[in-house]
Amino acid sequence: MRIFIIFLLFFGFNPLLYSQDQKNNINLSYSNINRIDVLKKIETSTDYRFYFQDDWFDTTILVSGNFSNKPFQDVLTKVFEDTDLNFFMDKNRIILTKNSIIYNTFQNTKTKDINVPVFFQQYDSVTKNKAEKTAPIALIGKETIDTEIDFYTLSGHITDLKDDKKLGDVTVKVKNTEISTITNSEGFYSLKLPVGLATIEIQSILYNNTSRKIMIYSNGTLDFSIIEKINQLKEVIVKGKNSQNIRTAITGVTTIEAEGIKTVPLVLGERDVLKIALTIPGIKTAGEGSSGFNVRGGKEDQNLMLLDNGTIYNPAHLFGFFSSLNPYTINKVDIYKGGIPSEFGGRLSSVFDITSKNGNTEKFSGEGGIGPVTSNLTASIPVVKGKASLLVGGRATYSDWILKSLDDENLKNSQASFYDLFAKYSHKINKNNSVEATGYYSKDKYSITPDSLYRYSNSLVSLKWKHSFNEKNNSELNVTNSEYKFSIDYESANPESFIFKYKINETQASLKFNSELNSKHRLTYGIASKLYKVNPGEINPNGASSLVNSIKIDDEKGLESALFFSDKYKITEKLLLDIGARYSYYAALGPSTQKIYQEGVPKTPSTVTEEKVYANNEVINSSGGFEPRIGLRYIFDESLFVKAGFDKNYQYIHLLTNNTTQSPTDTWKLSDLNVKPESGLQYSLGIFKKLDYKDIELSLEGYYKTSKNILDYKVGANILLNENLETELLQGNGKAYGIEFLLKKSTGRLNGWIGYTYSRTFIKLDSQFNDEKVNNGAFFPTNFDKPHDVSIVMNYKITHRYSFSSNFVYQTGRPITYPIGKYTYNGAEYTMYSDRNRYRIPDYYRLDIGLNIEGNHKIKKLAHSFWNISVYNVLGRNNPYSIFFVTKEGQVKAYQTSIFSVPIPTITYNFKF
């Protein structure tokens, strides 16, 4: 039954007075029923009558109990245990109250100084003359009469009202006090509050601020769902914002929000979160249209690319012009280029932690885009209202028409196409459990010449179970499987037609725990293990007339496992220490045949002394080590702080490529008897300043890195289908250092950022054998050493619907090896080359511009639209991609290749419903 009770809350600690009826004993038994049914059962068998509001009870919670000749008051105390309900007994009438206690006498006894509000409940809490609802005071916890505690804990989660997404880095504070905190990555907050009345304020840059008055009686929870600000265009893409920087002690962290990248002009109008990463200081690529990233002097294979915790080995479409990630399915990308959290491992340079969106659990919605080269569509489907959703997305290209329109006959007969598919199911089972399942597949196909067809694909399956033990302890179980494979189909009139295939498969499981011990210590710890399976390559004849012999290189298998731990230790309000440790162990496993080479001589096929055979899952070789991670942050004031960091990493898998840039046909090699694991150390220091004027942020970070056993190759190395591959490989030491500057303006009509990096990257390939030395064993620049790198990204908001954007990039030309002469030996003429990477190709610069047109901002419309009109390389700069040399008429001549040497205009239409 429902009644509305008008009552006053008095304060005091005198005992409750009851009538004689409360001394009666009763018998009561119930099993797996809700509490309302328990009360009905009592009413049926006794003269007692209960008065309450139905919505005070959660009818999904079932209880059991068995009482024999027990005092009625004790029975009720047990029934309402673990709830926020109290009860007042007046003869056979029992009045329930939420949170508070009703006192029927008042004595001048010892009381606590509590601001207790006098209030009453009404049928309609909204005054008719008011247009807005006033949220009632939230009653937290359950009042008791025998406690001496002065402070209680208020905790909860902050979520996005639209899609229930957990929101990190949101400020939660108590009005007119110094009490405040910031939500963690799971949107969780925890505050210590004095007993009584308080106002909780929620503050965020991207969401509307909100507040709520509370009355706290004991420990309790209060969740907030807040609304995203939608009255203006998204302005900032690089989200390494001040609040996040202050909250963490890790250096070199940047967050890219996928929702904000629509205003930046990119090649062929395609949104691309990974291309935006190239505008961040410290992240480069070897050339325009190149796949792979060079982060703080690291090689392309030293970056761990994760999509919902599953590894993506080749995140590029169409030779690197597009990423293989559908931007409409991506929520954000956290890039760790400095201190890498201890839960991640296996790579030396960086982690790209890509998180996909969760679907809308309330209503059907979607978004898409139509461009000159690609189109995509993403839809969100509620499965269980308020709890479960399915997000599906697809993207495909129709780029062949561009190739057909070119003047070059060879390119006109070529083809290039791709597509990718994405699906994610999210289900919030209950308050403490949720599951997510992600599926992803991408496929590329291209042909430069009529007789060769190249195919490559990525596939990924990810399962996640999140469990909350309580508000301060939770766990996350992840199981993933990812695969990358490619093939080359060569079909010719001659008898050399063949089909070549390659595949790498990775299966991983990890269990992570998060524990908030107290206000000073936040722990993260767990275990992870992954199994690699590699098919290094096999070739078979293509057709009955082919004379190609079948060859298959032995498969490789390896197991990489790790234990990890970290503690965010808040030493003082100004000093935060993030100390982490990871111990990794790697075992190369059979079946395999490993070659043993003669000691003291170069490794060649002729110096093999033994071939050792290993059985299935037999350990061939093992290695591992301790990987400490330390971050330190000190705040001088709210606008100025410094960070310092140190981390060590091991890497047990290597990319084999003799190209300047990463190629779809590059292969991966596991460490074994003849290939050592790589290791690296990084030291970093940064200073961060936020100016009060116009919300401008400045940062300056420096780093120094050393590495061992970096993989390189001999001149003219043969990598594919080589049974003696280790004879072509070189391993040496590397070093890199740099300074990164970032100026960012987040708000206002003019917003954007300016990034500048000065960096150097060197490698040393030395040996006791001349055949294994490069440049006489001295340090020399790597292929991706580009000392100066400038990026300027600006947006100017003309009106709420129209904005202008621009993107300028300048980079020093990368190193190259030139022919410097020729000589004759035994009657034959040979070309003599300079030391490796002694010269450089011309510098690179490019300016892109764009006009962004929002649709009208009416709330009730079928779909909201957004147009982007952009020009890529508006200056028509003929930037060199590579330099090659041809001997004509006795002279060596250099030729330059370029990707986009003319302005590329595009129009893209995006819609959201």
Side-chain angles (χ1 to χ4, degrees):
M1 67 187 80
R2 169 176 292 208
I3 67 170
F4 290 86
I5 307 166
I6 302 176
F7 62 94
L8 301 178
L9 294 180
F10 295 94
F11 45 88
F13 286 85
N14 55 303
L16 295 172
L17 300 181
Y18 303 98
S19 67
Q20 284 297 110
D21 289 340
Q22 66 184 313
K23 296 179 181 179
N24 293 342
N25 293 352
I26 68 168
N27 298 316
L28 180 67
S29 179
Y30 53 90
S31 177
N32 290 326
I33 61 176
N34 63 58
R35 287 186 171 90
I36 292 181
D37 290 338
V38 174
L39 302 186
K40 291 179 179 178
K41 191 177 182 69
I42 295 174
E43 288 183 332
T44 301
S45 59
T46 69
D47 293 333
Y48 293 109
R49 294 295 177 265
F50 293 89
Y51 300 88
F52 57 89
Q53 291 186 195
D54 292 345
D55 58 7
W56 289 353
F57 291 89
D58 184 350
T59 57
T60 64
I61 298 177
L62 306 181
V63 294
S64 300
N66 186 21
F67 304 94
S68 177
N69 197 31
K70 293 292 183 181
F72 187 46
Q73 181 185 353
D74 294 347
V75 173
L76 292 184
T77 300
K78 186 66 177 178
V79 170
F80 298 123
E81 188 179 32
D82 299 325
T83 73
D84 55 7
L85 298 178
N86 282 305
F87 61 92
F88 175 79
M89 301 178 62
D90 180 22
K91 295 184 178 180
N92 66 335
R93 291 177 300 177
I94 302 171
I95 301 171
L96 305 188
T97 59
K98 192 172 176 63
N99 307 101
S100 57
I101 292 176
I102 296 178
Y103 298 88
N104 65 352
T105 66
F106 175 78
Q107 296 178 0
N108 188 19
T109 56
K110 178 184 176 183
T111 64
K112 297 187 178 183
D113 185 15
I114 306 175
N115 266 335
V116 182
V118 179
F119 67 94
F120 59 90
Q121 294 179 310
Q122 298 176 315
Y123 283 101
D124 187 358
S125 62
V126 183
T127 304
K128 293 181 180 179
N129 295 329
K130 290 186 178 181
E132 294 183 355
K133 286 187 177 181
T134 301
I137 295 176
L139 305 178
I140 307 298
K142 184 174 181 177
E143 186 180 9
T144 58
I145 63 175
D146 55 355
T147 180
E148 295 294 327
I149 299 175
D150 294 328
F151 285 83
Y152 288 103
T153 300
L154 175 69
S155 59
H157 291 87
I158 311 297
T159 58
D160 188 317
L161 181 63
K162 184 178 73 171
D163 57 11
D164 203 32
K165 178 178 68 175
K166 301 293 179 61
L167 301 176
D169 302 318
V170 174
T171 299
V172 183
K173 63 178 297 186
V174 181
K175 187 177 181 179
N176 298 326
T177 72
E178 297 296 322
I179 302 173
S180 67
T181 188
I182 296 174
T183 58
N184 62 17
S185 60
E186 294 298 319
F188 176 76
Y189 75 91
S190 179
L191 293 168
K192 283 283 188 181
L193 300 180
V195 177
L197 194 65
T199 300
I200 305 300
E201 296 182 330
I202 309 298
Q203 299 176 351
S204 172
I205 295 175
L206 299 178
Y207 287 79
N208 291 328
N209 295 342
T210 188
S211 64
R212 184 80 183 270
K213 283 189 177 181
I214 69 166
M215 178 68 192
I216 185 165
Y217 293 115
S218 62
N219 295 338
T221 62
L222 181 62
D223 296 333
F224 289 86
S225 294
I226 57 180
I227 302 172
E228 186 178 10
K229 294 177 181 177
I230 58 174
N231 61 332
Q232 59 184 5
L233 295 175
K234 302 289 190 301
E235 293 176 333
V236 183
I237 297 162
V238 180
K239 252 197 83 180
K241 55 183 183 289
N242 206 35
S243 61
Q244 183 188 37
N245 281 330
I246 290 178
R247 185 173 64 86
T248 68
I250 298 175
T251 60
V253 184
T254 301
T255 298
I256 300 176
E257 295 281 358
E259 287 291 336
I261 67 174
K262 62 184 180 182
T263 59
V264 180
L266 294 171
V267 61
L268 298 175
E270 179 76 7
R271 295 190 195 184
D272 199 324
V273 290
L274 296 184
K275 292 302 180 185
I276 296 297
L278 294 174
T279 66
I280 299 171
I283 303 178
K284 306 176 184 179
T285 188
E288 187 173 43
S290 301
S291 60
F293 298 90
N294 303 113
V295 180
R296 288 191 170 179
K299 296 181 65 178
E300 291 90 343
D301 64 340
Q302 294 175 357
N303 308 305
L304 182 61
M305 291 280 178
L306 298 176
L307 173 60
D308 288 348
N309 297 299
T311 304
I312 296 181
Y313 279 91
N314 185 1
H317 280 314
L318 203 64
F319 318 110
F321 294 124
F322 306 107
S323 78
S324 58
L325 305 173
N326 186 338
Y328 295 99
T329 64
I330 301 302
N331 176 33
K332 66 174 183 175
V333 182
D334 291 323
I335 303 175
Y336 300 93
K337 55 179 178 167
I340 297 177
S342 61
E343 64 190 88
F344 301 114
R347 299 293 190 275
L348 298 190
S349 290
S350 75
V351 175
F352 286 65
D353 186 17
I354 305 166
T355 307
S356 64
K357 295 178 181 178
N358 285 328
N360 192 328
T361 60
E362 298 298 328
K363 63 179 182 179
F364 178 79
S365 60
E367 57 185 321
I370 302 173
V373 177
T374 65
S375 288
N376 53 61
L377 179 65
T378 299
S380 180
I381 307 166
V383 178
V384 179
K385 190 173 179 62
K387 289 188 175 182
S389 65
L390 177 65
L391 182 72
V392 293
R395 179 175 56 155
T397 183
Y398 30 83
S399 55
D400 282 348
W401 72 268
I402 297 180
L403 297 173
K404 301 299 182 185
S405 64
L406 299 177
D407 294 332
D408 190 306
E409 288 297 328
N410 291 327
L411 294 177
K412 184 176 292 188
N413 294 325
S414 61
Q415 58 175 305
S417 62
F418 66 81
Y419 67 88
D420 53 64
L421 304 171
F422 177 90
K424 181 178 182 180
Y425 177 75
S426 307
H427 194 139
K428 186 177 181 180
I429 301 172
N430 52 40
K431 181 180 178 181
N432 296 325
N433 295 278
S434 64
V435 294
E436 295 177 2
T438 300
Y440 167 81
Y441 182 77
S442 72
K443 188 170 185 177
D444 281 67
K445 180 175 63 174
Y446 65 93
S447 175
I448 304 300
T449 58
D451 53 8
S452 299
L453 181 62
Y454 295 78
R455 298 184 180 92
Y456 64 93
S457 64
N458 292 282
S459 61
L460 180 149
V461 176
S462 172
L463 301 174
K464 179 194 294 186
W465 172 37
K466 298 174 72 174
H467 174 72
S468 177
F469 300 99
N470 50 52
E471 295 296 347
K472 293 188 176 182
N473 298 276
N474 60 74
S475 65
E476 185 177 298
L477 175 65
N478 288 281
V479 178
T480 66
N481 178 267
S482 57
E483 183 175 273
Y484 175 72
K485 59 184 179 181
F486 72 83
S487 65
I488 304 173
D489 189 341
Y490 177 71
E491 188 172 358
S492 176
N494 61 48
E496 296 180 357
S497 299
F498 64 85
I499 297 177
F500 177 86
K501 295 181 180 180
Y502 169 86
K503 181 173 69 176
I504 180 171
N505 184 282
E506 174 189 311
T507 301
Q508 178 178 226
S510 66
L511 180 61
K512 181 177 71 172
F513 296 90
N514 295 296
S515 299
E516 186 175 349
L517 294 184
N518 48 49
S519 60
K520 290 185 176 292
H521 294 275
R522 288 186 176 183
L523 307 182
T524 299
Y525 52 94
I527 186 171
S529 186
K530 63 174 66 177
L531 178 67
Y532 299 102
K533 292 182 178 180
V534 181
N535 175 1
E538 61 178 287
I539 189 171
N540 293 294
N542 187 3
S545 60
S546 176
L547 300 180
V548 173
N549 294 321
S550 296
I551 301 174
K552 186 180 186 304
I553 305 299
D554 288 346
D555 291 349
E556 299 178 13
K557 186 161 59 173
L559 181 67
E560 179 184 338
S561 303
L563 297 170
F564 57 87
F565 170 87
S566 69
D567 180 11
K568 293 180 178 64
Y569 177 29
K570 188 178 181 181
I571 302 173
T572 67
E573 288 298 323
K574 292 187 174 183
L575 185 60
L576 177 66
L577 178 66
D578 192 326
I579 182 167
R582 181 182 180 92
Y583 184 85
S584 62
Y585 172 82
Y586 171 80
L589 303 176
S592 177
T593 300
Q594 296 284 301
K595 294 180 172 59
I596 311 298
Y597 291 87
Q598 183 179 343
E599 295 284 347
V601 296
K603 291 179 181 177
T604 65
S606 61
T607 60
V608 175
T609 60
E610 180 186 356
E611 290 190 353
K612 193 170 183 179
V613 179
Y614 293 86
N616 187 35
N617 293 327
E618 183 180 358
V619 176
I620 300 170
N621 188 36
S622 63
S623 56
F626 179 62
E627 304 177 31
R629 320 278 174 89
I630 301 173
L632 188 70
R633 180 224 63 196
Y634 183 80
I635 301 175
F636 292 99
D637 55 48
E638 291 185 355
S639 64
L640 179 65
F641 58 98
V642 296
K643 289 184 178 184
F646 165 79
D647 66 296
K648 181 178 182 179
N649 295 277
Y650 285 97
Q651 180 168 329
Y652 305 100
I653 186 169
H654 321 267
L655 184 67
L656 302 178
T657 176
N658 50 14
N659 299 308
T660 302
T661 62
Q662 186 174 343
S663 164
T665 57
D666 294 337
T667 60
W668 293 81
K669 167 70 179 173
L670 299 178
S671 297
D672 54 22
L673 277 181
N674 296 297
V675 179
K676 300 176 182 178
E678 302 175 24
S679 63
L681 304 174
Q682 180 176 190
Y683 307 84
S684 54
L685 178 66
I687 183 168
F688 305 83
K689 174 68 177 177
K690 182 173 183 179
L691 305 180
D692 293 334
Y693 176 73
K694 297 294 184 180
D695 195 21
I696 294 177
E697 298 178 25
L698 299 171
S699 66
L700 184 67
E701 290 189 76
Y703 66 90
Y704 181 79
K705 297 172 65 174
T706 61
S707 51
K708 295 182 178 180
N709 299 322
I710 303 301
L711 207 64
D712 211 300
Y713 315 93
K714 296 179 181 179
V715 175
N718 177 27
I719 294 175
L720 291 179
L721 295 175
N722 190 338
E723 295 180 344
N724 298 283
L725 179 63
E726 54 271 11
T727 64
E728 304 281 10
L729 305 180
L730 302 175
Q731 289 191 278
N733 298 332
K735 65 179 180 180
Y737 53 85
I739 297 176
E740 301 166 359
F741 170 78
L742 181 65
L743 182 151
K744 183 176 59 174
K745 184 174 182 293
S746 303
T747 59
R749 283 198 166 191
L750 178 64
N751 57 83
W753 65 92
I754 300 174
Y756 169 73
T757 305
Y758 174 78
S759 61
R760 299 304 310 271
T761 308
F762 301 94
I763 188 171
K764 180 180 181 180
L765 300 172
D766 196 9
S767 172
Q768 58 179 319
F769 312 116
N770 289 331
D771 289 349
E772 298 178 355
K773 282 186 178 182
V774 176
N775 291 4
N776 294 319
F779 278 103
F780 64 93
T782 62
N783 291 334
F784 44 87
D785 175 63
K786 298 180 177 182
H788 300 283
D789 188 314
V790 179
S791 294
I792 303 175
V793 178
M794 291 294 171
N795 296 299
Y796 181 76
K797 191 193 309 179
I798 303 169
T799 68
H800 284 300
R801 291 184 57 196
Y802 297 89
S803 65
F804 175 80
S805 57
S806 64
N807 177 33
F808 176 78
V809 179
Y810 168 82
Q811 293 177 347
T812 305
R814 63 174 178 80
I816 191 173
T817 305
Y818 275 4
I820 57 176
K822 57 184 179 180
Y823 62 94
T824 302
Y825 179 73
N826 288 336
E829 190 174 82
Y830 297 90
T831 302
M832 182 170 62
Y833 286 86
S834 67
D835 287 345
R836 188 182 293 189
N837 293 346
R838 182 176 178 181
Y839 297 95
R840 292 183 181 273
I841 64 175
D843 293 351
Y844 177 97
Y845 65 84
R846 190 189 77 244
L847 174 65
D848 314 320
I849 61 173
L851 177 65
N852 313 295
I853 306 173
E854 289 267 5
N856 65 62
H857 291 170
K858 293 180 180 179
I859 296 177
K860 294 182 178 180
K861 57 188 300 186
L862 180 63
H864 294 267
S865 61
F866 175 81
W867 289 88
N868 175 266
I869 304 171
S870 62
V871 181
Y872 183 86
N873 191 18
V874 69
L875 300 178
R877 164 73 170 171
N878 189 15
N879 287 302
Y881 177 77
S882 65
I883 305 291
F884 64 95
F885 303 92
V886 176
T887 302
K888 285 187 177 181
E889 299 177 355
Q891 293 184 340
V892 178
K893 295 184 178 181
Y895 292 87
Q896 169 182 308
T897 60
S898 300
I899 303 298
F900 295 109
S901 58
V902 296
I904 306 295
T906 55
I907 300 178
T908 305
Y909 173 72
N910 302 279
F911 55 91
K912 193 172 186 178
F913 58 90

